[in-house]
Amino acid sequence: MIGIVNVQWFDNPGAVLLCYALQQTVGRLRPGEQVEIINYTCGGKIEKAGIFHKVAKVPAKVRTKVLGRKRIAGVKYGLLLRQRHERYEEFRKEYLNRTAGFRDVSSPILDTPYTHCIVGSDVVWKPDIAKVIDAKVYFLQFADKSVKKIAYAASIGTDDDAILQPLTSLYKKLTEDFDAISMREASGVAFMQPLTKKQIKEVADPVFLLDKEDYRRMIPVTGPMEGRYIYLYLLSPNGEAVDYAIGLAKKKALKILFDVHTDVNFKLWEEMQDIFEASVAAGPAEFLSNIYYADYVVTDSFHGTSFSLIFQKEFYTYPRISNGVDISTRMKNLLEKVDLRNRYCIPEKGEAAEKINYCMVDGKIAEMRKDALEFLKGVLE
């Protein structure tokens, strides 16, 4: 039996879809062997939900006092967020083979006799995880010596030396008994390689292990809205990205579909309802649909960028700052791999770059996929 650890429990499309892709790929490489997701539902510091995330659970009388004149919009938003979560849960139940959920690092689930344990992808090795008790799970410390321990496309999430250098001894200790290590970003390889005698390999995010047709089967037949549109998918506030999307929409006579799943985005949408149409209750399949049917994608998300590439979209990627840390390395690294550096942070409002040559891009993605599959096949054997 093979166990996989990542952050699929988090309601983020990339986290869930990469888990599905890795599970499917490992299953194809080891037919007849059971593959299951170790459903540990913690992982470093998690931001507390804001008032609008919680609103659906608040009694009606309290909602009225708290939200005032915005009560109706707020209540509707809260209910849509609940529907979003339900869609994530439905997706997990349908597509992921998971253990029971648990939060205790001493859970008997971790005593399962796995032959291989794989951790990855996503920011499973970020400092906020390495420094706390969650490291027992995400660095596979629960597995005994008979279990082959593999890191697939693990990400540290930052290349900030001020953050990472004080933690070199910790990362060295946490990874010393791994049988094979691969990282998602070149910067991760550069940081980890001096800490081990093992050769660390840079590999593609799991979503690239599957192709366009694998994902298209999940997408609803009809698109999310009538008419042509730009899909604006932002995880952090970014005025430049918003301004660019508005300018491009005016120039191309397109609508804007704005993904509204954070309080900041909700407040922005409230101010610009005449410009943006909201996508709130989007689960993983709806996220794929929003990109698949779009004319353009404007995003600060790694997986927003990744699926734009997979679905051969015209897209523009902007920097992302989280808790004061620039975590754009992963996007820049990916765009360099497919020779699309000009799609990062477009400066001119409303101007569209030259059309993407997807014959070239698809060839580079095929090379990434082949290289990643060879790595996985080798370590699993």
Side-chain angles (χ1 to χ4, degrees):
M1 184 186 297
I2 299 173
I4 297 175
V5 178
N6 47 41
V7 291
Q8 51 73 33
W9 51 270
F10 188 59
D11 285 354
N12 172 278
V16 178
L17 290 165
L18 74 82
C19 182
Y20 169 74
L22 185 57
Q23 173 191 269
Q24 292 299 100
T25 302
V26 172
R28 291 172 184 178
L29 293 174
R30 298 288 293 232
E33 188 159 5
Q34 184 176 347
V35 180
E36 71 176 16
I37 310 304
I38 300 170
N39 191 17
Y40 180 64
T41 59
C42 295
K45 297 176 181 177
I46 301 298
E47 294 181 6
K48 293 181 180 179
I51 186 170
F52 294 111
H53 288 72
K54 298 177 181 178
V55 71
K57 298 181 180 179
V58 177
K61 290 182 180 179
V62 177
R63 288 189 211 134
T64 303
K65 292 180 181 179
V66 172
L67 296 172
R69 64 183 177 83
K70 296 181 180 179
R71 179 178 63 85
I72 295 176
V75 170
K76 183 178 179 181
Y77 177 59
L79 293 172
L80 288 171
L81 283 178
R82 179 184 287 182
Q83 185 179 346
R84 179 179 186 269
H85 174 67
E86 290 170 353
R87 284 178 170 169
Y88 271 87
E89 284 297 287
E90 289 168 4
F91 186 94
R92 293 182 186 103
K93 288 176 183 176
E94 181 174 356
Y95 291 106
L96 301 184
N97 179 36
R98 299 182 297 166
T99 69
F102 66 99
R103 301 174 67 87
D104 183 356
V105 296
S106 300
S107 170
I109 290 174
L110 295 175
D111 297 328
T112 302
Y114 297 109
T115 57
H116 302 70
C117 279
I118 305 172
V119 57
S121 175
D122 225 325
V123 286
V124 288
W125 282 3
K126 65 181 180 178
D128 281 347
I129 285 178
K131 294 187 291 185
V132 298
I133 196 169
D134 300 326
K136 179 177 180 180
V137 177
Y138 291 103
F139 287 85
L140 307 182
Q141 294 179 304
F142 62 86
D144 63 35
K145 294 181 179 180
S146 66
V147 180
K148 194 166 187 179
K149 298 169 68 173
I150 302 161
Y152 180 80
S155 177
I156 296 171
T158 180
D159 58 358
D160 190 330
D161 281 345
I163 294 173
L164 294 177
Q165 286 308 311
L167 302 176
T168 54
S169 296
L170 175 61
Y171 276 99
K172 182 177 181 179
K173 182 178 179 180
L174 290 171
T175 58
E176 61 187 1
D177 61 348
F178 270 74
D179 295 281
I181 299 175
S182 63
M183 308 292 290
R184 191 173 67 183
E185 289 89 34
S187 59
V189 176
F191 171 69
M192 290 296 304
Q193 190 60 77
L195 308 183
T196 179
K197 294 180 180 179
K198 301 179 186 71
Q199 185 64 40
I200 298 180
K201 189 173 182 61
E202 181 185 355
V203 295
D205 185 271
V207 298
F208 291 105
L209 294 170
L210 303 182
D211 61 24
K212 179 179 179 179
E213 291 305 306
D214 288 312
Y215 296 112
R216 193 181 61 79
R217 298 185 191 102
M218 303 176 184
I219 296 172
V221 175
T222 57
M225 61 188 294
E226 292 185 5
R228 299 170 56 201
Y229 65 92
I230 297 168
Y231 182 40
L232 180 59
Y233 181 70
L234 300 177
L235 300 176
S236 300
N238 192 314
E240 288 186 2
V242 171
D243 288 345
Y244 179 77
I246 293 172
L248 185 63
K250 289 179 180 178
K251 185 169 184 177
K252 299 289 184 178
L254 300 172
K255 299 177 182 178
I256 297 177
L257 180 65
F258 184 41
D259 197 282
V260 182
H261 69 280
T262 66
D263 292 350
V264 172
N265 285 359
F266 175 79
K267 290 171 184 174
L268 178 60
W269 172 76
E270 274 196 314
E271 295 171 4
M272 309 185 76
Q273 292 184 47
D274 56 331
I275 299 176
F276 298 154
E277 294 205 27
S279 171
V280 182
E286 290 75 25
F287 166 79
L288 293 177
S289 175
N290 290 349
I291 294 178
Y292 183 78
Y293 289 106
D295 281 64
Y296 294 87
V297 177
V298 177
T299 186
D300 65 352
S301 155
F302 175 84
H303 286 106
T305 303
S306 298
F307 282 105
S308 295
L309 289 168
I310 290 169
F311 290 139
Q312 301 175 318
K313 294 294 160 180
E314 297 296 318
F315 70 92
Y316 305 97
T317 298
Y318 280 78
R320 183 180 169 209
I321 307 297
S322 178
N323 296 323
V325 178
D326 187 343
I327 57 173
S328 308
T329 302
R330 66 196 83 173
M331 286 91 84
K332 290 185 283 187
N333 191 231
L334 173 60
L335 294 175
E336 286 172 1
K337 286 180 184 177
V338 295
D339 200 19
L340 288 178
R341 298 169 189 83
N342 67 331
R343 292 288 158 156
Y344 183 77
C345 201
I346 306 300
E348 297 296 329
K349 297 178 183 178
E351 292 299 316
E354 185 178 343
K355 275 201 160 189
I356 295 172
N357 176 2
Y358 269 106
C359 288
M360 177 273 293
V361 171
D362 289 348
K364 292 184 179 295
I365 291 175
E367 291 175 9
M368 289 163 49
R369 182 180 298 121
K370 180 182 177 182
D371 196 40
L373 288 171
E374 286 178 355
F375 170 81
L376 270 176
K377 185 176 180 180
V379 297
L380 288 171
E381 290 178 349

